[in-house]
Amino acid sequence: MAHYSLEDLLYLMARLRDPETGCPWDLKQDFASIVPHTLEEAYEVADTIEREDWQHLKSELGDLLFQVIFYAQLGKEQQRFEFEAIIDTLVEKLIRRHPHVFPDGSLQSQRIGDVPDEASIKATWEAIKQQERSSADENTLSESRVLDDIPAAMPSLNRADKLQKRAAQVGFDWGDPLPVLDKIEEEIAELREAIASGDKLEMEHELGDLLFAQVNLARHLQINPETALRYTNKKFTDRFGYIEDQVRASGKKWQDYTLDELDSWWDEAKKKGL
């Protein structure tokens, strides 16, 4: 049985956007309107991997790939770029950022000598990215700041981590986690004051500062804060689900139980490894 190819997918996308015979929904879309769908598909890929649902992973990856195909079709229609240009730009960039694999800057080149250690590879990667940013600044005849190219639309937790990592590259960082713990305690104290004042806006600001400091601690501990929180979300979901099962099995309503009684089931869930 023959399999569909990338060319088939590109043709399908062009058909969906055909002004006369295409899909009305697809014809209404533009770059901005597709962004929420792209983010959703990326999260669905992450969720599928976390659940180790390998059977459905290829389907979710296909949905994510379709987002790129959609953007490429829009770019082609507006004479901005085509899918081939996306591939060319990506391959060229990856070759440039992996000089330890492609030493003479071509796909045919072969590495000679030992493989650099991971720290050296990471340092080279960041240095090349900085060169790329500097080159982009020259092309636009403007001087960007250190944090300028970090997308504002990123999930806030991930963006906080990226902002801190970028600042650390120029020396704006603590040397170890202990001062970060002190900073967290300082932010907790300030949040207590804000709560006592009853100022809602001040509470929001201080809570944001506390979350930012906690992301900083995760970075110093070399823990991805998004991954850590996603794990805790799953743990909470599993344990709360156990409590809900007990309530349902009892034939009673949630209101019939005290918080201490519900919490005892939470402890049971923990003991069961949930």
Side-chain angles (χ1 to χ4, degrees):
M1 178 180 177
H3 293 282
Y4 289 116
S5 66
L6 180 58
E7 288 72 24
D8 292 323
L9 181 57
L10 291 168
Y11 173 71
L12 180 150
M13 185 71 252
R15 287 283 304 275
L16 292 176
R17 291 280 299 180
D18 186 287
E20 295 183 0
T21 61
C23 169
W25 185 89
D26 291 282
L27 286 169
K28 289 196 306 183
Q29 306 311 309
D30 56 26
F31 282 105
S33 69
I34 300 174
V35 169
H37 301 284
T38 306
L39 295 174
E40 180 180 342
E41 297 299 351
Y43 277 115
E44 289 182 1
V45 167
D47 179 66
T48 304
I49 292 173
E50 287 185 358
R51 292 186 288 104
E52 298 186 356
D53 185 1
W54 312 123
Q55 180 180 354
H56 293 101
L57 179 58
K58 66 178 180 180
S59 176
E60 297 299 346
L61 288 171
D63 292 342
L64 185 57
L65 172 61
F66 183 69
Q67 302 300 304
V68 178
I69 298 297
F70 210 136
Y71 290 124
Q73 178 65 28
L74 292 174
K76 182 178 181 179
E77 292 171 4
Q78 298 176 21
Q79 298 183 336
R80 298 177 184 275
F81 55 83
E82 297 191 15
F83 182 74
E84 291 75 14
I86 296 174
I87 298 299
D88 182 69
T89 301
L90 174 61
V91 173
E92 189 275 333
K93 179 170 61 178
L94 291 175
I95 291 174
R96 183 174 64 252
R97 291 183 181 181
H98 292 82
H100 53 290
V101 180
F102 310 105
D104 69 2
S106 72
L107 279 175
Q108 289 69 38
S109 61
Q110 297 293 325
R111 184 185 67 243
I112 300 176
D114 297 332
V115 181
D117 59 41
E118 186 174 345
S120 298
I121 292 173
K122 184 176 180 180
T124 300
W125 176 280
E126 292 298 337
I128 292 172
K129 287 181 66 176
Q130 181 57 48
Q131 291 172 3
E132 292 170 355
R133 287 193 290 269
S134 299
S135 177
D137 295 342
E138 293 174 1
N139 292 337
T140 57
L141 300 178
S142 65
E143 183 178 353
S144 69
R145 295 181 176 179
V146 174
L147 307 178
D148 277 356
D149 66 334
I150 299 177
M154 286 181 68
S156 295
L157 204 61
N158 287 338
R159 188 166 191 262
D161 183 54
K162 200 168 185 67
L163 288 170
Q164 294 167 8
K165 286 179 178 177
R166 183 69 62 78
Q169 290 175 15
V170 295
F172 191 72
D173 195 17
W174 282 295
D176 62 75
L178 293 182
V180 188
L181 285 171
D182 293 337
K183 183 63 176 176
I184 289 175
E185 292 174 357
E186 175 187 325
E187 297 297 352
I188 291 174
E190 292 179 359
L191 179 57
R192 288 182 185 277
E193 292 179 6
I195 293 172
S197 72
D199 187 324
K200 189 75 172 181
L201 183 60
E202 187 66 17
M203 284 186 258
E204 179 181 289
H205 291 172
E206 294 300 341
L207 181 59
D209 291 345
L210 176 58
L211 292 171
F212 193 84
Q214 290 173 313
V215 171
N216 210 349
L217 177 61
R219 181 176 60 85
H220 276 272
L221 297 176
Q222 298 183 341
I223 294 172
N224 184 295
E226 177 71 17
T227 301
L229 187 56
R230 287 174 69 87
Y231 171 77
T232 297
N233 286 343
K234 181 182 183 305
K235 183 169 59 177
F236 180 86
T237 301
D238 291 343
R239 291 177 182 176
F240 187 83
Y242 178 83
I243 296 173
E244 186 171 11
D245 289 342
Q246 308 314 306
V247 172
R248 287 184 175 181
S250 72
K252 298 181 180 180
K253 298 180 179 180
W254 287 94
Q255 296 85 343
D256 296 329
Y257 292 96
T258 66
L259 178 58
D260 287 340
E261 289 172 326
L262 295 174
D263 201 43
S264 67
W265 279 326
W266 177 275
D267 292 336
E268 282 185 17
K270 289 178 63 175
K271 292 177 180 178
K272 291 179 177 292
L274 297 178

